[in-house]
Amino acid sequence: MAASPKAGTLDVNKIRADFPILDVEVQPGVKLVYLDSGASSQKPVQVIEAMDRYYRHENSNIHRGVHTLAENATEAYEIARGKVAKFINAAKPREIVFTRNATEAVNLVAFSWGRANLKEGDLVVLTEMEHHANLVPWQMLAAEKGIRLEFIPVTEDGLLDMAALPDLLAQKPKLVGFTAMSNVLGTITPAAEIVRLAHEAGALALIDGAQSVPHMPTDVQALDVDFLVFSSHKMLGPTGLGVLYGKLALLEAMPPFLGGGDMIKRVELRSFTANEVPQKFEAGTPAIAEVIGLGAAVDYLNAVGMDAIAAHDHELTAYALERLEEVPGVRIFGPSADHKSSNASFTFEGAHPHDVAEILNRHGVATRAGHHCAMPLHNKFGIPSTTRASFYLYNTKQEIDQLVEALYKVKEIFG
Ligand code: 7TS
């Protein structure tokens, strides 16, 4: 297990030893430089082993059996819920609902809370830097219910234009939904301030924490946020699992989202009574092994320390910006290092972002090219796509140097 060093001084070598995949040679003699954690993080042995142990020794369906395995599996699942609750400082484990991913968690809010509480003409405020996950569900609801959508603009330097917020809030929105960290620009948005202003205007606040929760400490009570969504797979946990945090009173007042087993107390042929929160929102057999894996991921992140991880990821980002700026033809998107973390998206003059990523890959450097599920944001900057390098606790400055060296090879090819 990784040591618990002071903030900003991670023992990265020790951490790297916990991630078997980092030793993979992507081609003979070319070791992986994984700079795509913004899409999905790698997994430490502690997570892999927790899931392996579960399948070898505890595997059973939960909440339904009286036999020992079923009881053990149920207990392990609920212990993991408690760990996730504590990780974001939720007041109660019941405020944690497990979903398939962050995307499904936003859909749950839109189609449970939104359908029940919004009517034609009601306003939902989002931002221009949202991932499609916090955009399309609201567009679908807008088509269904006739609600209106407005957007906090993004400035040229990749910040939210907070000066535009008062006018939007004066229109009395019912909900303000925004990302706490942009998956393209890396921008860290002023989450606590936006939540406070939303509440003053009588709106609820939803934070998309898919990028922020893995990279910085999160305290839902200090934020006073109403809903927070995030994904296990971006924070060292397995895929197929997301989290919706909601204030208990809100979750209790919301109708179910998906219907079926586990989410009911009683069923008649033509009617049902919904179960208590959170089971009300966890229809069917959940991702049991994945929840247990996420519990192990949370243990790992806590052992390293979220303050230390935040400091490390920020330091790498600042270093990456500094190094990328040296490369002629590279244009970096997003704010200065003071306002961002964990990723750097860029274009390269004369080379398509996909070609850049492809040449980087030849040198073992895994990045991502495309619109990163934020097409409106790319449109805003007048570009169809970018190449994105993203960083996490196991990355090093030396890997960023390798990225930059490989970019000079791109330059040789494209002039
Ligand atoms: N919100 C943000 C800010 C994200 O970055 C992502 C995934 C999601 C929501 C959706 O998460 P999911 O687990 O439901 O898919 N972002 C990315 C990315 O930037 N590249 O691949 C996935």
Side-chain angles (χ1 to χ4, degrees):
M1 171 57 78
S4 184
K6 305 193 291 293
T9 55
L10 291 197
D11 187 346
V12 181
N13 285 335
K14 193 164 181 191
I15 288 170
R16 288 178 70 86
D18 289 331
F19 290 79
I21 211 166
L22 297 179
D23 287 330
V24 162
E25 288 190 351
V26 281
Q27 294 136 52
V30 180
K31 243 175 102 172
L32 171 69
V33 175
Y34 189 73
L35 301 181
D36 195 22
S37 296
S40 198
S41 75
Q42 296 302 348
K43 325 299 174 198
V45 284
Q46 289 82 350
V47 169
I48 298 166
E49 283 170 4
M51 295 175 73
D52 183 79
R53 201 162 46 240
Y54 166 75
Y55 278 126
R56 286 177 193 275
H57 303 290
E58 292 173 339
N59 176 55
S60 174
N61 211 328
I62 56 165
H63 293 148
R64 300 175 200 198
V66 289
H67 61 79
T68 304
L69 284 189
E71 280 175 1
N72 290 351
T74 304
E75 193 187 346
Y77 182 86
E78 293 303 330
I79 285 173
R81 191 195 304 279
K83 287 179 184 179
V84 173
K86 206 164 165 221
F87 185 67
I88 59 167
N89 196 30
K92 301 175 189 71
R94 291 178 63 208
E95 294 178 317
I96 300 300
V97 175
F98 290 120
T99 61
R100 265 192 318 139
N101 44 40
T103 301
E104 189 178 273
V106 179
N107 277 271
L108 196 166
V109 176
F111 294 109
S112 167
W113 176 83
R115 270 194 191 129
N117 291 283
L118 301 179
K119 56 182 193 316
E120 191 175 346
D122 280 348
L123 176 64
V124 167
V125 170
L126 304 168
T127 86
E128 288 180 343
M129 65 169 72
E130 293 315 300
H131 185 281
H132 299 164
N134 193 30
L135 194 52
V136 179
W138 301 108
Q139 294 174 349
M140 289 164 67
L141 194 67
E144 182 183 311
K145 305 268 298 187
I147 63 166
R148 291 187 303 127
L149 303 179
E150 292 294 344
F151 301 90
I152 307 175
V154 172
T155 63
E156 264 308 300
D157 48 2
L159 297 169
L160 285 183
D161 182 2
M162 293 295 284
L165 193 52
D167 279 352
L168 292 169
L169 294 178
Q171 299 174 47
K172 294 282 166 210
K174 292 288 194 298
L175 180 132
V176 178
F178 63 98
T179 185
M181 187 191 282
S182 164
N183 66 319
V184 178
L185 306 172
T187 313
I188 298 167
T189 59
E193 186 186 350
I194 298 174
V195 173
R196 183 176 56 78
L197 294 170
H199 285 169
E200 278 173 22
L204 295 185
L206 175 148
I207 293 180
D208 176 352
Q211 294 293 337
S212 64
V213 170
H215 295 283
M216 55 173 70
T218 303
D219 182 335
V220 288
Q221 293 188 75
L223 285 165
D224 195 27
V225 69
D226 301 289
F227 299 110
L228 169 77
V229 305
F230 53 102
S231 274
S232 153
H233 70 94
K234 293 187 200 286
M235 52 187 288
L236 312 184
T239 53
L241 178 63
V243 177
L244 167 65
Y245 159 82
K247 286 183 182 165
L248 190 59
L250 284 169
L251 293 177
E252 283 180 332
M254 282 157 55
F257 172 47
L258 301 173
D262 273 1
M263 53 72 70
I264 51 83
K265 254 189 202 145
R266 197 183 154 74
V267 181
E268 312 278 346
L269 276 179
R270 295 179 199 285
S271 63
F272 71 94
T273 317
N275 208 336
E276 304 294 336
V277 170
Q279 282 74 30
K280 177 168 74 175
F281 296 113
E282 294 181 359
T285 300
I288 305 164
E290 287 75 9
V291 166
I292 289 165
L294 176 59
V298 163
D299 287 343
Y300 191 93
L301 292 169
N302 283 332
V304 178
M306 286 309 295
D307 283 323
I309 292 171
H312 171 81
D313 295 349
H314 182 261
E315 193 180 324
L316 282 188
T317 308
Y319 182 70
L321 295 187
E322 201 182 296
R323 293 286 342 257
L324 286 170
E325 271 161 16
E326 290 166 17
V327 185
V330 166
R331 177 182 169 205
I332 305 164
F333 293 82
S336 62
D338 299 351
H339 299 283
K340 76 186 267 173
S341 187
S342 305
N343 72 51
S345 296
F346 56 92
T347 53
F348 201 116
E349 206 181 343
H352 191 281
H354 280 99
D355 292 334
V356 174
E358 150 61 22
I359 294 165
L360 294 177
N361 183 52
R362 287 184 213 163
H363 298 276
V365 182
T367 60
R368 182 159 295 244
H371 51 64
H372 314 298
C373 296
M375 286 174 102
L377 180 64
H378 282 78
N379 289 342
K380 171 100 186 182
F381 286 105
I383 45 166
S385 57
T386 49
T387 306
R388 181 186 68 188
S390 49
F391 319 113
Y392 209 4
L393 72 170
Y394 36 68
N395 289 123
T396 63
K397 286 186 179 170
Q398 191 204 337
E399 289 181 307
I400 290 165
D401 293 339
Q402 284 172 270
L403 163 71
V404 170
E405 271 167 44
L407 280 172
Y408 278 104
K409 306 276 191 230
V410 176
K411 199 169 159 44
E412 278 169 25
I413 293 170
F414 287 95

